[in-house]
């Protein structure tokens, strides 16, 4: 389940970042673009990407520890 959260953060963050960097003006379906002021969109999207990566790597490390690091 935590992997789904990581993937959602990554997808929402990357999509919002690409949307803003390519000049998209509408909020599309990216949550942070609906909720936050326009001046914070790029920073918030980058932070969401980073948070998604951290969550996914932390979950992967946790699973490897549980298996004894066999993978």
């Amino acid at each position: 389940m935590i992997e789904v959260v990581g993937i959602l953060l990554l997808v929402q963050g990357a999509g919002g970042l690409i949307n803003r960097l390519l000049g998209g003006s509408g909020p599309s379906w990216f949550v942070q673009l609906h909720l936050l002021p326009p001046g914070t969109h790029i920073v918030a999207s980058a932070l969401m990407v980073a948070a998604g990566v951290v969550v996914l790597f932390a979950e992967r490390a946790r699973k490897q520890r549980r298996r004894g690091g066999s993978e």
Side-chain angles (χ1 to χ4, degrees):
M1 181 65 182
I2 193 75
E3 291 165 335
V4 173
V5 172
I7 291 169
L8 286 174
L9 281 169
L10 192 60
V11 168
Q12 284 287 308
L17 189 60
I18 290 168
N19 182 295
R20 286 302 176 236
L21 291 177
L22 294 179
S25 58
S28 190
W29 54 274
F30 305 108
V31 175
Q32 71 277 22
L33 304 183
H34 284 280
L35 299 177
L36 300 173
T40 63
H41 289 170
I42 291 177
V43 173
S45 295
L47 289 173
M48 287 177 74
V49 168
V53 168
V54 167
V55 167
L56 290 173
F57 275 108
E59 181 63 14
R60 182 177 177 192
R62 185 185 69 82
K63 283 184 177 180
Q64 285 181 347
R65 279 193 309 269
R66 289 173 81 193
R67 292 184 190 144
S70 61
E71 289 186 84

